[in-house]
């Protein structure tokens, strides 16, 4: 699927909006002691931000697995973003999957707290990257 520049910008804007709204839900869930839900929202906040970045750069994403692989390939392995962000994204996915699908697992407050600020920093960095240099459909991948 090929997007016009205007369509791409609309999608990027919507993904970033969704990322911020989802990130804001984390505090509400932590206040209500709903830590598994907070872990879920933290993962999805980063997921939407990563999707915005990929879409901005003309990289098509169809699955969660593809978003991880393409994020690593285009931004982590190239050194555009620090490897810690790739590790964070993987940790958040694991934490979300465990809390969503394993009824014997509960997220601990310290697990959330140690990832809360790095997740916010990643969102901030992605927003800056998108604002700084929106790219035309220079890459296209269907992984």
């Amino acid at each position: 699927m090929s997007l016009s520049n205007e369509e791409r910008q609309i999608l990027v804007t919507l993904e970033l909006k969704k990322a911020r709204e989802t990130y804001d839900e984390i505090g509400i869930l932590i206040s209500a002691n709903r830590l598994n839900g907070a872990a879920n929202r933290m993962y999805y906040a980063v997921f939407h931000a990563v999707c915005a970045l990929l879409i901005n750069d003309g990289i098509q994403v169809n699955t969660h697995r593809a978003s991880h692989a393409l994020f690593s390939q285009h931004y982590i392995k190239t050194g555009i973003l620090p490897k810690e962000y790739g590790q964070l994204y993987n940790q958040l996915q694991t934490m979300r999957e465990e809390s969503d699908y394993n009824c014997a697992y509960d997220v601990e407050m310290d697990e959330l707290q140690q990832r809360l600020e790095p997740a916010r920093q990643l969102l901030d960095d992605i927003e800056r990257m998108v604002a700084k240099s929106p790219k035309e459909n220079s890459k296209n991948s269907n992984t």
Side-chain angles (χ1 to χ4, degrees):
M1 177 174 84
S2 182
L3 299 172
S4 70
N5 288 337
E6 183 179 345
E7 291 168 327
R8 184 175 304 102
Q9 278 311 117
I10 290 168
L11 276 177
V12 168
T13 299
L14 291 172
E15 288 285 2
L16 290 175
K17 181 177 186 268
K18 184 74 149 183
R20 280 296 170 187
E21 289 172 352
T22 303
Y23 186 86
D24 290 344
E25 294 169 2
I26 298 167
I28 296 165
L29 290 164
I30 289 174
S31 296
N33 202 33
R34 302 291 188 186
L35 304 185
N36 291 339
N40 176 289
R41 303 326 292 154
M42 193 179 305
Y43 168 77
Y44 277 103
V46 171
F47 170 76
H48 286 291
V50 166
C51 286
L53 181 60
L54 291 165
I55 292 166
N56 185 68
D57 288 349
I59 304 168
Q60 186 174 341
V61 180
N62 295 323
T63 66
H64 286 263
R65 181 175 287 160
S67 76
H68 284 267
L70 293 167
F71 180 66
S72 178
Q73 176 186 352
H74 293 283
Y75 305 99
I76 303 303
K77 289 181 180 176
T78 59
I80 293 171
L81 289 170
K83 67 180 179 190
E84 290 80 15
Y85 283 161
Q87 294 166 344
L88 173 67
Y89 195 21
N90 290 331
Q91 292 166 352
L92 292 176
Q93 181 179 26
T94 299
M95 189 169 61
R96 182 203 57 94
E97 288 174 349
E98 285 292 316
S99 65
D100 281 356
Y101 302 116
N102 182 348
C103 63
Y105 175 84
D106 284 312
V107 175
E108 298 290 331
M109 181 64 82
D110 63 327
E111 289 179 276
L112 288 173
Q113 292 295 348
Q114 67 182 338
R115 292 175 177 93
L116 195 58
E117 181 61 20
R120 187 198 58 74
Q121 290 173 347
L122 176 54
L123 267 59
D124 289 349
D125 286 349
I126 287 175
E127 285 179 335
R128 276 192 289 276
M129 289 173 68
V130 167
K132 185 175 165 182
S133 63
K135 296 181 181 178
E136 295 193 17
N137 194 10
S138 57
K139 301 174 187 170
N140 195 346
S141 185
N142 252 340
T143 307

